[in-house]
Amino acid sequence: SQELEQSPQSLIVQEGKNLTINCTSSKTLYGLYWYKQKYGEGLIFLMMLQKGGEEKSHEKITAKLDEKKQQSSLHITASQPSHAGIYLCGADMMRGGADGLTFGKGTHLIIQP
Amino acid sequence: DAGVIQSPRHEVTEMGQEVTLRCKPISGHNSLFWYRQTMMRGLELLIYFNNNVPIDDSGMPEDRFSAKMPNASFSTLKIQPSEPRDSAVYFCASSLQSSGRPGLAKNIQYFGAGTRLSVL
């Protein structure tokens, strides 16, 4: 079974609309990392969350980690074509955070003009 | 600043051949990770090194896979012999392990562009 579940698997959104991607775990997350991947390219780091209830923003992207540290959401406001790509959440599943990350399967985001 | 550099970007080989993937981490980083990405299984950790020492290779699929890190600026992932099911995109990532609050070490990993491997 997948330790990190991402939803939705794919998302088609009209340009200018808001959207939310979710990442859920049955275990406590000791660090939650959001990455963006363009097709055929590597992963680009977006944001890291560690504390329960933490929220971070960069430009039009906001990420939150719930108080229980088992769920994170990524929210994009007023989407643009440049937001299209695959969004992946990765997590430290062990306290100490020195290990490799466990990743969700990703959310494919398409922005329609 | 140069990011994580992987070579080759694309590799096409025949079943049974040896394949070597290369990675140069970001200068100053002390941890290096090898991942494999497929449509079916997503992104999976194969092995990671800390200060050039392999820490966890439980994700390496079989004995056909081996990885080395002879120094802080170079790592290889070798598949011998290769099989069609090894076809995937292989990523290398590096990070600077640092501790913030006790028990909350930061682990921001920076990824290379990947090597797309096709085994025919």
Side-chain angles (χ1 to χ4, degrees):
Chain A
S1 63
Q2 192 75 15
E3 291 192 47
L4 275 185
E5 294 285 344
Q6 271 190 250
S7 63
Q9 286 187 319
S10 61
L11 193 54
I12 301 173
V13 173
Q14 195 170 16
E15 183 177 351
K17 298 294 186 183
N18 303 338
L19 63 104
T20 300
I21 298 168
N22 294 302
C23 179
T24 304
S25 171
S26 57
K27 302 178 182 178
T28 298
L29 304 172
Y30 292 99
L32 191 289
Y33 306 78
W34 282 100
Y35 287 86
K36 179 185 175 184
Q37 183 180 23
K38 290 191 174 180
Y39 297 101
E41 299 182 15
L43 282 67
I44 304 298
F45 171 73
L46 296 175
M47 278 175 278
M48 176 189 73
L49 304 164
Q50 286 189 300
K51 304 173 188 175
E54 187 175 9
E55 179 175 322
K56 287 187 177 177
S57 293
H58 177 66
E59 297 180 344
K60 295 186 178 181
I61 301 176
T62 300
K64 301 179 186 179
L65 183 61
D66 74 339
E67 290 289 343
K68 283 188 174 181
K69 293 177 33 173
Q70 288 186 313
Q71 184 170 19
S72 178
S73 61
L74 186 82
H75 184 77
I76 298 178
T77 303
S79 58
Q80 301 170 352
S82 60
H83 290 130
I86 304 169
Y87 289 81
L88 294 108
C89 62
D92 287 321
M93 306 296 276
M94 292 180 62
R95 193 175 186 86
D99 301 318
L101 300 178
T102 298
F103 281 91
K105 286 199 169 181
T107 295
H108 294 243
L109 175 62
I110 297 171
I111 307 295
Q112 279 186 335
Chain B
D1 287 342
V4 176
I5 299 172
Q6 289 187 247
S7 65
R9 288 295 314 274
H10 302 274
E11 177 79 41
V12 180
T13 190
E14 291 187 348
M15 182 174 63
Q17 296 297 307
E18 178 179 296
V19 174
T20 299
L21 311 181
R22 297 172 176 81
C23 175
K24 177 178 168 57
I26 293 172
S27 177
H29 280 188
N30 56 8
S31 292
L32 183 141
F33 306 82
W34 283 101
Y35 291 89
R36 179 170 68 175
Q37 187 177 42
T38 61
M39 290 288 291
M40 288 295 294
R41 300 176 67 89
L43 195 61
E44 300 176 292
L45 177 70
L46 298 176
I47 184 172
Y48 77 93
F49 297 82
N50 194 33
N51 294 320
N52 310 340
V53 177
I55 303 300
D56 183 1
D57 65 354
S58 60
M60 297 285 260
E62 299 171 31
D63 290 345
R64 299 183 294 106
F65 286 68
S66 62
K68 294 182 180 179
M69 191 165 186
N71 56 62
S73 58
F74 184 66
S75 177
T76 59
L77 178 68
K78 186 177 292 187
I79 308 173
Q80 166 62 21
S82 58
E83 296 183 4
R85 59 189 166 134
D86 301 331
S87 298
V89 181
Y90 290 81
F91 287 104
C92 175
S94 71
S95 72
L96 176 61
Q97 297 294 336
S98 62
S99 294
R101 288 172 52 192
L104 285 178
K106 294 187 176 182
N107 189 18
I108 298 173
Q109 297 180 21
Y110 296 90
F111 283 72
T115 295
R116 183 172 296 275
L117 174 65
S118 297
V119 183
L120 306 177

